[in-house]
Amino acid sequence: MATIFSETLTRLRKGAGFPTAYRFYHDNGGAPFFKVSYRNYLMMEQGRNLPVLGRLARIIMGMRVPERTPEARELTLAWLRTMAGEEAYADMLEPLLAQGAPAKTTSPAEEALRRTLAEKKFHITADQILASVASFETYKCFFVMEADSGVWTAEAMAKALGVKKAEADKALKSFLKVGLVKAEGKGGYRSRMVGQLVEYPAGPAFPQGVLAKIRGYYKRLEDESPLEFGTSGMVRADADALRGFFPMLKSSVEASYAFNTTVKTKKSAGFFVVGRVHRLWNF
């Protein structure tokens, strides 16, 4: 029997780009991440089980929803309503929680973009991540395969990226082994993820050391690449209120994928699009 929590969980899970409970569970690392079996997770979506608070936090992370944003609040309130019951929630909890609720900050256009992107997401697995970050040269090869619909050989890859042919060949073979590409023709490889938004699992599902390695690669990409456009600003804001802006920033970066091309043009190139919010000082 469905509950408010199970219905909300299912709707938000689909909205996050996971079409099935199976994909959501396994694309996030399965039992090591959620700390429950797939059967137990499925019972949550069926309304037969309610997760403990710690597992609710894991579910929110698995949806790639930043903390204290409207979507995280919605699922948490659905959990509270289901746990307490409608009458107790309305009488005791709702009056306490109603004050200071953050306003919905996304426009209808942003919601439409979010839904469109959710249907085009490729949720990369832990094994695929490890293959993609084996070295900086491998990571560059990974980006090419993520972005191009053509057939690539090690020789062509080495020429395009300025890496050694042996490095490109090793990278492509490792991608084939974990299902990121498929073999085509003599020594050729074609991407399985092209045209989709590659989305990484939540931090706790990452293999140890990978996040630091990716941050290092990002720093090298920034340092070694010319700046095409930049904008910045300084704002004084309440920290909790500003979190309502985070989904908008995430959507703005993801909107760059609307300009993605999977084929070479006269001026096509790889671009590194970054969105950040830095805390300066408290005052």
Side-chain angles (χ1 to χ4, degrees):
M1 181 179 178
T3 64
I4 294 170
F5 176 78
S6 68
E7 290 177 346
T8 305
L9 170 59
T10 302
R11 174 170 53 80
L12 292 178
R13 182 257 297 161
K14 291 179 179 177
F18 298 93
T20 65
Y22 185 87
R23 287 264 56 88
F24 178 62
Y25 181 83
H26 289 287
D27 287 351
N28 275 296
F33 177 76
F34 288 107
K35 308 300 182 184
V36 295
S37 67
Y38 173 64
R39 180 176 179 274
N40 284 335
Y41 172 76
L42 191 60
M43 290 173 67
M44 298 177 197
E45 290 208 6
Q46 294 170 343
R48 299 165 59 194
N49 196 1
L50 192 66
V52 298
L53 191 57
R55 293 196 182 100
L56 173 63
R58 290 274 173 154
I59 290 171
I60 292 172
M61 282 191 289
M63 291 182 183
R64 323 301 200 262
V65 175
E67 294 179 359
R68 295 194 289 262
T69 51
E71 291 84 358
R73 176 183 174 85
E74 182 181 6
L75 188 60
T76 302
L77 290 180
W79 182 84
L80 283 170
R81 290 173 66 185
T82 304
M83 179 188 67
E86 281 294 295
E87 185 175 346
Y89 177 84
D91 291 343
M92 299 177 62
L93 296 177
E94 190 169 24
L96 295 174
L97 297 169
Q99 298 181 6
K104 189 74 171 179
T105 56
T106 54
S107 68
E110 289 167 338
E111 286 290 333
L113 175 63
R114 183 185 62 79
R115 289 193 298 270
T116 299
L117 290 173
E119 296 171 358
K120 298 177 63 178
K121 287 184 178 179
F122 180 94
H123 294 102
I124 191 168
T125 67
D127 287 343
Q128 292 169 339
I129 292 171
L130 287 172
S132 73
V133 302
S135 68
F136 183 59
E137 292 73 23
T138 299
Y139 196 65
K140 291 168 70 174
C141 294
F142 170 74
F143 172 73
V144 171
M145 298 310 296
E146 176 186 351
D148 193 86
S149 61
V151 176
W152 284 85
T153 63
E155 184 177 2
M157 184 72 72
K159 182 178 180 182
L161 295 177
V163 301
K164 295 179 180 179
K165 181 181 177 181
E167 293 173 331
D169 183 60
K170 183 178 180 180
L172 290 169
K173 287 179 178 177
S174 69
F175 298 163
L176 179 66
K177 185 177 180 179
V178 296
L180 288 171
V181 302
K182 56 185 177 181
E184 190 163 320
K186 187 176 180 179
Y189 302 86
R190 189 186 296 273
S191 174
R192 291 183 179 272
M193 54 190 159
V194 66
Q196 301 177 77
L197 175 60
V198 175
E199 187 162 84
Y200 288 80
F206 264 65
Q208 189 173 8
V210 168
L211 281 175
K213 185 177 285 190
I214 291 177
R215 291 190 190 104
Y217 293 163
Y218 281 2
K219 185 67 168 58
R220 284 190 64 177
L221 289 171
E222 286 191 90
D223 291 344
E224 297 175 7
S225 306
L227 181 66
E228 291 282 324
F229 173 80
T231 183
S232 61
M234 296 173 65
V235 59
R236 184 189 188 189
D238 178 86
D240 289 337
L242 188 63
R243 284 185 171 274
F245 167 68
F246 293 177
M248 297 173 61
L249 180 61
K250 184 173 185 285
S251 295
S252 295
V253 173
E254 290 180 342
S256 64
Y257 286 83
F259 301 91
N260 182 61
T261 176
T262 60
V263 295
K264 184 176 177 59
T265 70
K266 290 182 178 180
K267 294 187 176 181
S268 62
F271 293 91
F272 186 47
V273 182
V274 186
R276 295 196 185 102
V277 177
H278 290 272
R279 181 186 289 262
L280 299 176
W281 54 82
N282 298 329
F283 74 105

